[in-house]
Amino acid sequence: MNHRPARLVLPLLAVALAGFAMSFVDAALLRERHAVRIEASHALAKRLELTDIALFTEARYTRHPSQADLHAPFQDHPLALEHFPTGSLIAPPRHEYLDRTTARAD
Amino acid sequence: MNIWIEQQRALIDFTLASLARRKARNLGLLAVYTLLVFVLASVALFSHALRHEATRVLADAPEIVLQRLVAGRHDLIPPGYLEKIGNIRGVQKMEGRLWGYYYDPVIKANYTFMVPSAGGVERGTIVIGAALERVRGLALETGISFRAYSGKLYSFVVADILPHDSELVSADLVLMHEDDFRTFFEFPAGHYTDIALAVANPQEVRNIAAKLAAALPDSRPILREEMLRTYASIFAWREGIVLAILSGAILAFAILAWDKAAGLSAEEKREIGILKAIGWETGDVIRMKIWEGVLISLTAFLVGYVAAYLHVFRGGGVLFEPVLKGWAVLYPRFQLAPEIDGLAVATLFFFTVVPYTAAVLVPIWRAATTDPDAVMR
């Protein structure tokens, strides 16, 4: 049996630590490579006036969550439950509640 | 200094030899610990990168999108709306947008049909997103037919394919000429899906939205700020859901780790008694146990984090793909840019390394300060 197990374990720990540090270096390099792709998406979104990303295309309120209203998933029939799994995985849109003035007191 | 280093190395040697005596138990704990760090770090890295990407890509989305609601549902913008908006001071530019959804029964997927406001698509042709190209097996200059909701069949030629690099925003897009769009959907002349507005002074966006809401009571303005916030909350929600599902596993691990760290076995108590009897000081015993806690938790953190990094940014997050895909047939292929939230990594480090190391200390302090004779009995 090895009487100085630290000789084996400490270098292994150093390798893990180097791996951790390398992940940040790798991230910086990858970010540079991805910058072109992100810029292409950004330019297209600007040109086409897009409002949402195409992650969940199964229903209209998951394709464009920012354009949907709070109850969009539940409008199909009374007591409707949400059909799509995405609906439970994404949050409802965060709409602003703008003050609307009415002619008469509410 | 050298003596101190030598002393610590000796303590580490002793700790490792002691851990090796209960090899299966300690390796099992290390494996579960690493797996837990891996899952938590994967969720944190994935959500943060996706959130960051959505914010950057949509940074120049329309400042205000104006929808019209009828009986609580989204309806078309009728003629005359644009003129009414034109009278509101501060609105710099406004454009009626034409877009809608089309369900393709061939592949059971929804497409987003859209008319680019700047034009550029000839009549009878379409420009498609890269996911659509892949799933329908289309190529440039090939024809495709869609059956409209009226029942008529319309054929289009693929004039261009949107860059693969922009798949995250354009996977399911079908861009077409305005006339084709109106004919295909039998869209009434002069009507639009919604209106995109640009505002002269960005500070005034909320005021203008309030003016729009007052001038057009059946409308709903959606600000860019809301779109970005929606995406921030979508991924925070997703992160929360995964954490809620994982909370059972986290608690189970906490109990296991606490039991392992805080409850001393009779064998460990005897070991401490012997060490004290042969002349170890309380401080040495505690230092040895600190090393035990640090070695296990630091290894679990480092290995778990690096594996999570490789999984999310080099392996494309394969474990999350089934959850992300939902029921969508068209799904963009994309590799996330590694945006790492330093605070999240520091928090993960703190909550994985510190509690375990601290939990190791309490019972040891109690055992190490009692009489060796009493501990060994």
Side-chain angles (χ1 to χ4, degrees):
Chain A
M1 191 192 155
N2 185 1
H3 291 288
R4 304 294 313 252
R7 275 198 196 148
L8 179 73
V9 172
L10 287 184
L12 283 179
L13 201 61
V15 169
L17 206 61
F20 178 70
M22 278 303 292
S23 74
F24 288 92
V25 178
D26 185 60
L29 295 174
L30 271 183
R31 267 200 301 273
E32 254 173 56
R33 211 192 305 160
H34 280 287
V36 181
R37 181 183 59 79
I38 293 179
E39 192 39 51
S41 302
H42 173 236
L44 188 76
K46 189 176 175 181
R47 182 165 69 84
L48 297 178
E49 297 177 325
L50 302 179
T51 53
D52 290 82
I53 57 177
L55 264 187
F56 323 103
T57 54
E58 66 258 48
R60 62 188 195 285
Y61 54 86
T62 57
R63 172 62 180 91
H64 292 95
S66 77
Q67 305 299 300
D69 60 67
L70 273 180
H71 305 290
F74 314 105
Q75 286 183 353
D76 290 339
H77 60 83
L79 299 178
L81 290 175
E82 160 67 302
H83 297 313
F84 295 99
T86 300
S88 46
L89 280 168
I90 64 174
R94 297 283 300 271
H95 289 311
E96 203 68 58
Y97 296 99
L98 296 165
D99 293 333
R100 287 174 189 252
T101 46
T102 49
R104 288 183 303 158
D106 287 330
Chain B
M1 187 67 186
N2 274 346
I3 296 171
W4 186 85
I5 292 173
E6 218 22 68
Q7 209 178 14
Q8 301 309 312
R9 275 191 64 183
L11 278 172
I12 293 171
D13 280 332
F14 191 87
T15 308
L16 290 169
S18 158
L19 287 172
R21 275 197 291 278
R22 292 173 288 273
K23 206 179 277 171
R25 193 176 148 193
N26 287 316
L27 281 180
L29 178 82
L30 185 64
V32 176
Y33 207 156
T34 308
L35 194 67
L36 197 70
V37 174
F38 166 76
V39 177
L40 290 177
S42 291
V43 173
L45 289 175
F46 196 87
S47 316
H48 182 74
L50 210 47
R51 202 161 30 216
H52 194 268
E53 189 123 346
T55 313
R56 271 182 69 182
V57 166
L58 299 174
D60 283 317
E63 275 174 312
I64 301 176
V65 170
L66 192 81
Q67 290 179 346
R68 179 169 170 248
L69 298 179
V70 170
R73 287 186 182 236
H74 186 188
D75 206 62
L76 300 183
I77 301 277
Y81 252 57
L82 284 167
E83 289 70 33
K84 280 188 201 164
I85 296 169
N87 296 333
I88 295 173
R89 195 192 290 263
V91 174
Q92 194 178 39
K93 203 179 113 192
M94 56 186 167
E95 252 165 11
R97 295 199 312 160
L98 283 170
W99 61 277
Y101 300 106
Y102 174 74
Y103 177 72
D104 185 358
V106 178
I107 57 165
K108 297 187 172 62
N110 280 311
Y111 305 153
T112 302
F113 277 30
M114 187 172 229
V115 176
S117 53
V121 185
E122 297 291 317
R123 281 205 68 168
T125 65
I126 50 172
V127 175
I128 57 170
L132 190 53
E133 173 210 9
R134 200 167 47 237
V135 177
R136 282 292 305 244
L138 296 170
L140 280 179
E141 302 303 331
T142 52
I144 182 169
S145 300
F146 296 121
R147 189 174 293 279
Y149 293 119
S150 61
K152 287 182 210 149
L153 207 61
Y154 291 91
S155 295
F156 300 97
V157 173
V158 178
D160 202 0
I161 292 158
L162 292 166
H164 287 257
D165 276 349
S166 64
E167 226 175 293
L168 190 59
V169 285
S170 67
D172 66 337
L173 285 187
V174 175
L175 305 180
M176 51 172 48
H177 191 273
E178 181 176 341
D179 295 348
D180 285 341
F181 184 89
R182 288 191 186 277
T183 316
F184 187 81
F185 287 113
E186 295 185 349
F187 220 79
H191 285 65
Y192 291 97
T193 311
D194 53 28
I195 301 171
L197 298 165
V199 172
N201 178 3
Q203 308 285 328
E204 288 292 311
V205 172
R206 290 177 66 91
N207 285 342
I208 292 182
K211 280 187 203 167
L212 286 168
L216 303 161
D218 59 348
S219 73
R220 181 173 66 166
I222 299 168
L223 314 184
R224 183 198 288 161
E225 184 192 315
E226 288 170 61
M227 298 170 202
L228 297 177
R229 211 167 46 202
T230 296
Y231 278 93
S233 75
I234 277 178
F235 300 119
W237 176 288
R238 173 176 295 270
E239 208 176 341
I241 296 247
V242 177
L243 289 181
I245 295 167
L246 278 179
S247 59
I250 296 171
L251 276 175
F253 176 75
I255 294 168
L256 176 82
W258 179 262
D259 182 52
K260 159 75 185 69
L264 281 183
S265 65
E267 195 191 341
E268 281 170 310
K269 275 187 192 159
R270 240 187 71 220
E271 191 181 308
I272 291 165
I274 293 169
L275 290 176
K276 288 209 70 184
I278 60 171
W280 280 48
E281 286 174 16
T282 306
D284 293 332
V285 176
I286 288 171
R287 266 194 287 277
M288 182 193 87
K289 279 289 167 183
I290 290 179
W291 274 118
E292 185 185 314
V294 168
L295 284 174
I296 288 183
S297 53
L298 191 62
T299 309
F301 171 77
L302 292 175
V303 176
Y305 175 82
V306 172
Y309 176 84
L310 294 174
H311 163 232
V312 172
F313 298 123
R314 289 287 180 180
V318 281
L319 295 179
F320 292 126
E321 237 183 10
V323 182
L324 261 181
K325 275 186 174 172
W327 290 2
V329 177
L330 287 175
Y331 189 75
R333 270 190 199 158
F334 62 96
Q335 194 105 56
L336 284 171
E339 289 296 337
I340 299 172
D341 182 5
L343 186 69
V345 178
T347 311
L348 191 66
F349 173 80
F350 185 82
F351 282 106
T352 46
V353 175
V354 176
Y356 186 79
T357 311
V360 165
L361 280 179
V362 181
I364 282 298
W365 174 263
R366 230 179 288 143
T369 47
T370 45
D371 184 35
D373 181 47
V375 176
M376 273 192 286
R377 258 172 225 278

